[in-house]
């Protein structure tokens, strides 16, 4: 009887076990059909073995096999650097072509992490294989982003910004940078090229694609591209590699356009760089590129102009004209000034006064640049603003007409071929022609260059056609002033001769008194 009961108990236990196993199997099949995040296998140091957690589940052993009602939980790798949100880690050496679509985003993050390694490019042979691997990985990242498959969620934005910061943000080596602006001519140094540019160029390309991403969440992106990030980017404009500065210019322009919340900060930061350049160091490699960025910024200013913007013109752009390396950044500087006048024509007289204040006296090359900019400014000047400055302006032009440097004199004569300037002169001929005609008369008598003499004759003819009576009277007045000046000079010369003779006589009498003759 006992054996029968034992047999029945055994059958009961077996049936219950099989029922529980069947239920578990059905439950597992059901859960497998539910969509869930991708899971990963254990890291290599677990030797492929899955860890089990049976602390709270029913466990039954049958035939040496252990079953658990709680399914094995696969560990997820969480990165301490990038908030991957539980996404599985993928071997960064794998290609995007061989992984499933669900794994591509994880592979993108893994490759970004791999590219955070830095190598010494001055000893290329030492890390040749690692450098090549990183270069290929960077190219893969750019191709993947270009394909449109990437999703710039918070994890991807954070990882991309961190990788770009590690590779780009660096302190430039100290050196003798007496000509760091490239000089203004013959003393210009050859540009320095960064040996790591093959990597830096791709990193800049990746950063540009991030900023240009059409569906970029700006609220998330500005957490990582914050004020500190922007300041470090602006510091890179002091790089001696012109290729890097050109890439930075494009990236910063996109950042300014994309992040409206950062625009006041960027303007202030750029202003501080320019102020430091003008009033402290007078050395910076990226002033030209920063002015190119600001040229586009100024064209987008709303009207009426804010006082902040006018102060930038007065305190930054106009004082930039006085520095020695003007030739390096004069073209974008002129563009910025013209954009301001285009926005508010009342600023034309302010700009002309600034040019006259910083007008070069002994540097003929800078004088040529000033004359070229002056012509562009006068083209934008109204008659009312012109009348405020025409007196000191044409006295300075008269000095340029008489310049012994023939290129300066020629450039000053060519101002009169501009129709707008000629129209301004004709409306104010009573004040301008006398100033100009006296300079032309001096050129006719004294200038050494034949080309300048020809231009002088042509200009006198233009003025005669404009107001012949005024020209005649001005010539007569000029001749009278010339004769008066000649007589004054003769009287002055005679006075000096009398003083010299008296001084010699006084010296002889003093010597005679000091040394009497004895017999």
């Amino acid at each position: 009887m006992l054996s029968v009961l034992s047999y029945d108990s055994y059958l009961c236990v077996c049936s219950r076990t099989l029922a529980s196993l069947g239920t578990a199997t059905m439950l597992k099949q059901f859960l497998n059909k539910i969509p869930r995040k991708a899971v990963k296998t254990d890291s290599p140091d677990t030797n492929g073995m899955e860890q089990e957690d049976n602390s709270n589940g029913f466990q039954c052993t049958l035939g040496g096999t252990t079953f658990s009602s709680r399914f094995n939980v696969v560990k997820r790798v969480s990165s301490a650097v990038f908030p991957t949100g539980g996404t599985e880690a993928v071997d960064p050496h794998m290609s995007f072509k061989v992984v499933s679509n669900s794994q591509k985003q994880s592979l993108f993050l893994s490759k970004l992490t791999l590219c955070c390694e830095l190598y010494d490019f001055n000893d290329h042979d030492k890390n040749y294989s690692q450098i090549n691997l990183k270069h290929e990985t960077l190219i893969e990242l750019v191709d993947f982003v270009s394909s449109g498959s990437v999703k710039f969620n918070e994890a991807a934005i954070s990882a991309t910004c961190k990788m770009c910061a590690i590779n780009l943000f660096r302190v430039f080596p100290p050196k003798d940078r007496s000509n760091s602006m490239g000089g203004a001519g013959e003393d210009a140094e050859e540009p320095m090229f960064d040996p790591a540019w093959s990597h830096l160029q791709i990193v800049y390309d990746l950063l540009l694609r991030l900023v240009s991403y059409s569906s970029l969440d700006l609220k998330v992106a500005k957490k990582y591209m914050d004020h500190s990030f922007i300041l470090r980017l602006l510091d890179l404009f002091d790089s001696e590699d012109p290729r890097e500065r050109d890439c930075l210019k494009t990236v910063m322009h996109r950042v300014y356009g994309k992040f409206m919340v950062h625009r006041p900060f960027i303007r202030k930061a750029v202003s501080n760089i320019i102020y430091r350049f003008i009033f402290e160091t007078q050395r910076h490699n990226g002033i030209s590129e920063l002015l190119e960025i600001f040229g586009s910024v100024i064209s987008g200013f709303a009207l009426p102009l804010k006082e902040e913007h006018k102060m930038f013109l007065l305190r930054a752009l106009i004082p930039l004209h006085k520095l020695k390396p003007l030739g390096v950044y004069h073209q974008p500087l002129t563009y910025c000034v013209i954009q301001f006048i285009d926005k508010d024509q009342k600023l034309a007289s302010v700009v002309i006064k600034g040019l006259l204040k910083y007008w070069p006296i002994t540097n003929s090359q800078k004088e040529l640049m000033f004359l070229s900019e002056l012509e562009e400014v006068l083209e934008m000047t109204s008659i009312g603003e012109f009348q405020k400055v025409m007196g000191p302006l044409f006295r300075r032009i008269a000095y340029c007409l008489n310049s012994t440097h023939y290129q300066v004199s020629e450039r000053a004569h060519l101002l009169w071929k501009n129709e707008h300037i000629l129209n301004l002169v004709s409306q104010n001929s009573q004040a301008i022609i006398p100033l100009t005609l006296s300079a032309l008369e001096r050129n006719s008598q004294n200038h050494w260059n034949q080309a300048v003499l020809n231009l002088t004759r042509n200009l006198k003819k233009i003025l005669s056609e404009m107001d012949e009576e005024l020209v005649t009277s001005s010539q007569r007045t000029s001749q009278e002033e010339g004769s008066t000046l000649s007589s004054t000079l003769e009287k002055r010369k005679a006075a000096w001769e009398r003083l010299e003779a008296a001084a010699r006589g006084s010296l002889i009498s003093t010597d005679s008194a000091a040394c009497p003759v004895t017999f």
Side-chain angles (χ1 to χ4, degrees):
M1 186 67 179
L2 182 61
S3 63
V4 172
L5 290 173
S6 300
Y7 181 74
D8 291 341
S9 299
Y10 176 75
L11 289 176
C12 181
V13 170
C14 288
S15 62
R16 288 179 180 177
T17 303
L18 291 173
S20 64
L21 290 174
T23 303
T25 303
M26 292 175 62
L27 181 60
K28 183 175 182 180
Q29 291 176 352
F30 174 73
L31 291 174
N32 285 337
K33 294 180 180 180
I34 298 177
R36 63 184 185 275
K37 294 182 178 179
V39 297
K40 74 175 190 65
T41 59
D42 288 327
S43 56
D45 52 348
T46 61
N47 298 323
M49 299 297 293
E50 294 182 352
Q51 296 182 353
E52 297 179 354
D53 184 3
N54 299 317
S55 58
N56 299 320
F58 170 78
Q59 182 173 327
C60 176
T61 303
L62 179 64
T65 306
T66 301
F67 300 93
S68 175
S69 62
R70 175 176 291 183
F71 295 102
N72 299 322
V73 180
V74 180
K75 292 190 300 179
R76 302 177 187 272
V77 177
S78 61
S79 171
V81 178
F82 307 124
T84 57
T87 306
E88 66 171 327
V90 182
D91 182 6
H93 300 91
M94 297 178 67
S95 171
F96 285 105
K97 297 179 181 179
V98 300
V99 299
S100 62
N101 290 333
S102 61
Q103 292 179 310
K104 286 183 177 180
Q105 190 74 9
S106 302
L107 180 58
F108 178 70
L109 298 179
S110 299
K111 287 183 179 292
L112 285 171
T113 306
L114 176 66
C115 292
C116 289
E117 294 293 330
L118 299 179
Y119 303 101
D120 184 9
F121 279 80
N122 293 317
D123 189 4
H124 194 275
D125 296 334
K126 182 179 179 181
N127 303 303
Y128 181 77
S129 58
Q130 294 92 332
I131 290 174
N132 281 346
L133 175 62
K134 181 178 177 181
H135 185 264
E136 292 172 1
T137 305
L138 286 169
I139 293 176
E140 285 187 85
L141 288 171
V142 172
D143 291 341
F144 180 64
V145 174
S146 302
S147 67
S149 303
V150 70
K151 296 178 181 178
F152 277 115
N153 52 25
E154 182 168 1
I157 294 171
S158 172
T160 305
C161 289
K162 185 172 183 66
M163 188 276 290
C164 292
I166 290 174
N167 282 274
L168 299 178
F169 299 161
R170 60 205 190 278
V171 178
F172 298 115
K175 59 177 63 179
D176 179 16
R177 299 170 59 183
S178 58
N179 291 321
S180 61
M181 283 296 304
E186 298 177 356
D187 296 333
E189 290 182 349
E190 291 296 325
M192 301 284 290
F193 297 107
D194 197 311
W197 178 246
S198 59
H199 285 191
L200 296 176
Q201 182 181 18
I202 306 174
V203 175
Y204 277 117
D205 192 8
L206 189 61
L207 179 58
L208 180 62
R209 291 177 187 277
L210 167 65
V211 178
S212 305
Y213 186 63
S214 58
S215 303
L216 185 66
D217 189 340
L218 298 181
K219 291 183 178 179
V220 175
K222 72 178 182 180
K223 289 166 47 180
Y224 302 98
M225 303 184 74
D226 56 4
H227 288 178
S228 176
F229 188 91
I230 290 172
L231 281 177
R232 297 294 299 274
L233 271 180
L234 290 172
D235 288 341
L236 293 175
F237 275 96
D238 202 19
S239 170
E240 296 192 5
D241 193 328
R243 302 169 298 181
E244 181 169 15
R245 300 199 301 270
D246 192 59
C247 285
L248 277 165
K249 178 180 64 177
T250 306
V251 170
M252 188 54 63
H253 190 273
R254 295 291 178 86
V255 169
Y256 187 90
K258 196 90 170 181
F259 296 88
M260 293 186 66
V261 67
H262 288 330
R263 289 183 180 181
F265 178 79
I266 293 174
R267 291 197 300 268
K268 184 177 180 180
V270 173
S271 300
N272 289 337
I273 292 174
I274 295 176
Y275 293 148
R276 194 177 305 116
F277 170 67
I278 296 172
F279 302 110
E280 294 181 14
T281 64
Q282 297 191 10
R283 294 184 297 184
H284 197 283
N285 293 305
I287 295 298
S288 178
E289 288 79 9
L290 290 172
L291 289 174
E292 287 183 42
I293 296 171
F294 238 94
S296 300
V297 171
I298 295 167
S299 64
F301 283 164
L303 295 176
L305 289 176
K306 297 180 180 178
E307 195 65 25
E308 164 203 349
H309 302 151
K310 295 180 181 179
M311 286 299 101
F312 180 74
L313 171 66
L314 293 173
R315 297 178 180 176
L317 296 185
I318 293 178
L320 276 173
H321 289 84
K322 71 179 181 179
L323 301 181
K324 182 178 179 181
L326 174 65
V328 178
Y329 54 81
H330 182 254
Q331 186 174 353
L333 175 60
T334 301
Y335 181 76
C336 289
V337 170
I338 295 302
Q339 289 299 309
F340 265 111
I341 298 174
D342 187 45
K343 289 288 180 180
D344 186 356
Q345 289 196 350
K346 292 182 179 179
L347 295 173
S349 60
V350 175
V351 170
I352 293 174
K353 290 177 182 177
L355 290 176
L356 294 176
K357 178 180 179 181
Y358 297 115
W359 197 277
I361 304 300
T362 59
N363 190 328
S364 300
Q365 294 303 316
K366 284 184 68 174
E367 203 165 5
L368 288 170
M369 288 185 271
F370 271 59
L371 286 168
S372 176
E373 182 175 354
L374 179 62
E375 181 174 6
E376 293 189 47
V377 171
L378 287 173
E379 285 182 348
M380 308 284 294
T381 305
S382 63
I383 185 66
E385 296 300 311
F386 177 76
Q387 289 174 344
K388 294 178 182 179
V389 295
M390 61 183 181
L393 172 62
F394 275 86
R395 276 192 288 271
R396 173 54 60 187
I397 292 176
Y399 284 127
C400 293
L401 290 171
N402 291 143
S403 174
T404 55
H405 193 289
Y406 77 97
Q407 290 179 328
V408 173
S409 183
E410 283 182 346
R411 190 66 186 83
H413 280 84
L414 293 176
L415 290 174
W416 303 82
K417 291 191 175 182
N418 187 296
E419 292 184 4
H420 182 72
I421 296 175
L422 199 60
N423 182 48
L424 292 173
V425 171
S426 63
Q427 295 183 53
N428 300 274
S429 57
Q430 295 292 329
I432 295 174
I433 287 181
L435 292 173
T436 306
L437 200 61
S438 60
L440 296 178
E441 291 296 332
R442 287 192 293 271
N443 264 5
S444 300
Q445 298 172 8
N446 303 319
H447 208 283
W448 62 274
N449 186 270
Q450 187 60 45
V452 171
L453 292 174
N454 293 336
L455 289 170
T456 298
R457 283 194 292 269
N458 292 336
L459 183 52
K460 288 173 69 175
K461 183 178 179 181
I462 291 173
L463 295 178
S464 298
E465 292 174 354
M466 185 183 298
D467 193 335
E468 186 174 0
E469 183 178 349
L470 179 61
V471 168
T472 304
S473 63
S474 297
Q475 284 178 335
R476 189 181 309 113
T477 304
S478 178
Q479 290 173 358
E480 292 174 356
E481 289 177 353
S483 60
T484 304
L485 180 62
S486 298
S487 69
T488 303
L489 290 175
E490 290 177 0
K491 291 178 181 179
R492 185 180 300 167
K493 183 178 179 181
W496 276 109
E497 288 176 352
R498 288 195 300 271
L499 285 173
E500 288 174 357
R504 282 196 299 269
S506 176
L507 181 61
I508 292 172
S509 62
T510 304
D511 291 342
S512 300
C515 303
V517 179
T518 58
F519 297 95

